[in-house]
């Protein structure tokens, strides 16, 4: 008997790339509109970022009650979290639960990468090639590839000859890695490094941390989350969700309306202390000018620097761990459990690779300009080609055969972060120029997915086969995104928000800084104005 191939017919209404939070909700939403959808996913399971980032200590820095879908009252009421901040494996379990509950897997083809896509002007459809050698056709192509998914292993000479094991946090093996009794090197002290370092320190015989830039981190004060606390939250879930959607970051932080200079020195320090004791990234909202006024920022930063000095016993190590080169919050603020304290452990060593640069990897370990470190394992916590990397790797060709990557050599160009001129019927979920990574990304994803679904519904209603962004609307949007950043302290930092971590990447501020609430209002207004800035040139 011939088994039915669920993917036999290669023509669908929409192709979605990626089966993380964004891809799953997009699939669900379009299915509700009666569309045939196919999702391609490189991994062998759902979860996206939370599928790949299964390294020890991986945890979300948005609190559990907020880092979840809001579209289904049934799901949000039923799901029970175990801790204040959700661990990676718990988020993955949640995403799997949602996929099962909504019966999403039957439209997802796993272990399949999209290798190329070309817009066909004759039919107003996308032809998409996948890693299994197939070609697929769809009216709409929707990227749900994530903002922090194109992981980067730096180009250090000698890595191929390394005799030990090496890993990148963003492509962690599914089988647990055993660090017991081993000599381990970690390169990178961003959020991932800051999470994995205390975990490895507990197991390894020796841990050497290779730090290029020290980072600001605020304690998570993670703890179990009681059922009573969750029940109380769930009573007002709808209201909390709405407030989050209208907020600047999609997170119910305590956003201060006071400037730093509005309060006395004592009051200011008490406010920092209160926020430190509460934990999490809420710290940088202690006053409303921390991201715009260098002096205010310095005061908030100095409080954290003093905390580092008080936690780390060796003053020389404390000094090396103390960030001095950037304004607090302008590189993504980290949230940790025992990060600084870990450097008091005798088995942990900190190497400042700005002072003594990392020169090569030898078969035995890592060579810096003044020492050789013998290692059994190397962990790269070296981050991502953020926001644009995953999109540029898709090899997408627009209506004139132009490649998206080539179009974006001076920085990404989008209208609302949703579409790019010359690439009709291609939507980006949390694309560059949208609030995306500055927010609780699940809230941003829901907003984008809903907008895209409504737009497609509108096209069906008015019988149009093609949508494209207008060039002037895109130019104005790119300008607006840049102008917003210029009025803040962000552009002065060598952050991945600015593309500064990838050699050769243009220095452009990638997300929209105007806040999620404001951004959502703009998107709604665009719809009310008859999809202002978009054209629907062809009929079905
Ligand atoms: P990040 O935040 O980009 O951190 C990467 C770290 O790796 C950072 O400390 C970098 O130093 C360092 N790095 C990068 N390239 C090199 C090279 N070539 N040599 C030495 N050190 C290097 O990535 P994460 O994975 O930690 O976090 C990404 C986001 O994921 C995070 O914000 C959360 O949203 C989740 P640098 O600062 O560039 O000097």
């Amino acid at each position: 008997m011939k088994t039915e191939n669920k993917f036999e017919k290669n023509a669908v209404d929409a192709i979605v790339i990626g089966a993380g939070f964004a891809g799953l909700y997009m699939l669900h939403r379009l299915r509700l509109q009666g569309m045939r959808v196919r999702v391609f996913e490189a991994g062998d399971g759902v979860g996206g970022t939370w599928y790949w980032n299964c390294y020890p200590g991986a945890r979300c820095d948005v609190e559990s009650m907020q880092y979840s879908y809001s579209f289904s009252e049934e799901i949000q009421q039923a799901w029970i979290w175990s801790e204040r901040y959700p661990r990676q494996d718990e988020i993955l379990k949640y995403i799997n639960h949602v996929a099962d509950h909504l019966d999403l897997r039957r439209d997802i083809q796993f272990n399949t990468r999209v290798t190329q896509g070309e817009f066909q002007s004759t039919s107003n459809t996308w032809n998409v090639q996948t890693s299994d050698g197939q070609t697929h056709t769809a009216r709409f192509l929707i990227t749900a590839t994530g903002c922090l998914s194109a992981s980067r292993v730096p180009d250090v000479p000698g890595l191929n000859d390394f005799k030990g094991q090496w890993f990148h946090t963003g492509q962690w093996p599914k089988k647990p890695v055993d660090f017991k009794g081993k000599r381990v090197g970690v390169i990178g002290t961003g959020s991932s490094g800051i999470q994995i370092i205390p975990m490895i320190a507990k197991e390894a015989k020796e841990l050497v941390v290779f730090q290029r830039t020290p980072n600001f981190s605020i304690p998570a004060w993670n703890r179990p989350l009681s059922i009573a606390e969750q029940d109380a939250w769930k009573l007002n879930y709808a209201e909390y969700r709405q407030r989050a959607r209208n907020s600047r970051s999609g997170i119910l932080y305590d956003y201060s309306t006071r400037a730093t200079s509005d309060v006395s020195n004592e009051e200011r320090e008490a406010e920092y202390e209160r926020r430190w004791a509460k934990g999490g990234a809420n710290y940088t909202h202690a006053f409303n000018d921390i991201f715009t006024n260098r002096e205010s920022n310095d005061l908030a930063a100095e409080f954290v620097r003093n905390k580092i000095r008080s936690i780390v016993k060796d003053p020389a190590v404390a000094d090396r761990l103390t960030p001095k080169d950037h304004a607090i919050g302008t590189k993504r603020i980290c949230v940790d459990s025992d990060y600084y304290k870990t450097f008091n452990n005798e088995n942990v060593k900190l190497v400042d690779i700005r002072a003594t640069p990392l020169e090569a990897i030898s078969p035995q370990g890592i060579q810096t300009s003044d020492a050789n470190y013998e290692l059994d394992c190397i962990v790269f916590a070296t981050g991502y080609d953020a926001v644009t990397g995953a999109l540029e790797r898709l090899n997408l060709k627009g209506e004139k055969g132009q490649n998206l990557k080539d179009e974006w050599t001076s920085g990404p160009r989008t209208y609302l972060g949703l579409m790019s001129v010359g690439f009709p019927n291609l939507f980006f979920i949390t694309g560059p120029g949208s609030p995306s990574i500055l927010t609780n990304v699940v809230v941003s994803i829901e907003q984008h997915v809903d907008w895209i679904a409504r737009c497609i519904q509108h096209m069906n209603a008015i019988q149009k086969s093609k949508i494209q962004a207008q060039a002037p609307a895109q130019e104005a949007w790119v300008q607006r995104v840049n102008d917003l950043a210029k009025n803040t302290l962000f552009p002065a930092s060598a952050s991945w928000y600015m593309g500064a971590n990838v050699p050769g990447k243009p220095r452009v501020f990638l997300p929209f800084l105007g806040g999620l609430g404001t951004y959502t209002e703009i998107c709604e207004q665009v719809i009310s104005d008859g999809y202002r800035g978009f054209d629907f040139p062809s009929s079905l």
Side-chain angles (χ1 to χ4, degrees), residues 67-341:
Y67 195 78
S68 54
Y69 291 122
S70 71
F71 69 82
S72 161
E73 180 64 6
E74 189 192 352
I75 295 173
Q76 74 180 9
Q77 288 296 336
W79 187 260
I80 295 170
W81 296 99
S82 67
E83 293 173 285
R84 177 181 179 190
Y85 291 97
R87 265 197 336 258
Q88 172 270 338
D89 59 330
E90 197 167 11
I91 301 173
L92 194 57
K93 215 164 121 194
Y94 165 80
I95 301 176
N96 272 281
H97 163 76
V98 174
D100 290 335
H101 186 78
L102 302 174
D103 186 22
L104 298 178
R105 287 174 218 278
R106 66 186 153 87
D107 288 322
I108 306 172
Q109 185 171 326
F110 292 103
N111 298 306
T112 310
R113 266 184 197 283
V114 166
T115 52
Q116 192 172 316
E118 288 150 6
F119 184 73
Q120 308 295 308
S121 296
T122 44
S123 52
N124 290 330
T125 55
W126 278 88
N127 270 4
V128 168
Q129 275 96 59
T130 45
S131 51
D132 57 355
Q134 297 283 309
T135 300
H136 313 262
T137 307
R139 274 176 73 202
F140 300 103
L141 180 60
I142 304 168
T143 65
T145 40
C147 293
L148 294 156
S149 49
S151 55
R152 279 189 61 251
V153 175
D155 201 7
V156 188
L159 181 57
N160 289 340
D161 303 324
F162 179 57
K163 293 235 158 43
Q165 295 174 287
W166 66 267
F167 313 93
H168 188 286
T169 49
Q171 290 183 349
W172 201 259
K174 295 290 158 221
K175 209 166 145 250
V177 179
D178 185 6
F179 291 113
K180 270 192 219 81
K182 301 217 168 115
R183 299 163 303 174
V184 184
V186 174
I187 306 176
T189 52
S191 293
S192 306
I194 278 174
Q195 289 185 336
I196 202 172
I197 285 164
M199 301 301 283
I200 297 179
K202 282 186 200 153
E203 275 196 24
K205 185 167 90 182
E206 278 170 45
L207 169 62
V208 188
V209 175
F210 297 88
Q211 172 191 270
R212 188 162 72 180
T213 313
N215 242 319
F216 291 100
S217 187
I218 309 295
W221 308 125
N222 191 36
R223 57 175 172 76
L225 202 58
S226 72
I227 297 291
E229 225 176 321
Q230 296 188 55
D231 284 348
W233 188 278
K234 285 176 182 174
L235 278 180
N236 299 313
Y237 231 148
E239 184 209 323
Y240 290 151
R241 297 289 200 188
Q242 195 49 43
R243 271 172 46 204
R245 285 182 204 113
N246 292 339
S247 73
R248 205 186 315 168
S249 62
I251 305 171
L252 294 179
Y253 286 140
D254 178 6
Y255 300 96
S256 175
T257 50
R258 299 182 301 181
T260 308
S261 57
D262 288 348
V263 301
S264 67
N265 292 353
E266 293 71 32
E267 221 179 317
R268 188 186 67 228
E269 293 300 302
E271 184 59 9
Y272 295 151
E273 194 65 59
R274 187 181 77 79
R275 294 202 177 229
W276 178 272
K278 230 172 150 186
N282 190 31
Y283 180 81
T284 48
H285 301 288
F287 296 98
N288 67 7
D289 54 353
I290 290 180
F291 292 101
T292 49
N293 181 316
R294 187 70 208 216
E295 280 166 35
S296 303
N297 189 286
D298 276 344
L299 288 165
E302 192 57 19
F303 177 89
V304 177
R305 293 190 196 108
N306 284 331
K307 286 288 184 193
I308 299 170
R309 292 174 192 125
S310 73
I311 298 167
V312 181
K313 291 188 181 135
D314 180 333
V317 177
D319 188 55
R320 264 179 274 149
L321 283 168
T322 302
K324 298 175 195 102
D325 75 327
H326 65 277
I328 188 168
T330 58
K331 288 181 97 159
R332 168 109 174 188
I333 190 115
C334 302
V335 177
D336 72 284
S337 295
D338 294 337
Y339 174 64
Y340 296 118
K341 205 169 120 192

Side-chain angles (χ1 to χ4, degrees), residues 420-487:
S420 191
V421 170
F423 296 82
N425 295 8
L426 169 68
F427 293 101
F428 310 117
I429 304 177
T430 64
S434 74
S436 65
I437 42 163
L438 294 174
T439 67
N440 175 349
V441 80
V442 186
V443 184
S444 284
I445 283 169
E446 287 194 325
Q447 188 260 336
H448 261 187
V449 167
D450 288 340
W451 195 97
I452 294 166
R454 283 161 69 194
C455 177
I456 290 175
Q457 197 166 32
H458 172 72
M459 287 177 69
N460 288 339
I462 60 169
Q463 293 279 297
K464 294 292 181 185
S465 62
K466 184 176 177 186
I467 175 171
Q468 60 194 18
Q470 294 169 358
Q474 175 166 292
E475 288 319 299
W477 187 254
V478 170
Q479 191 62 44
R480 186 167 183 171
V481 171
N482 290 336
D483 289 348
L484 279 164
K486 271 188 211 139
N487 294 327

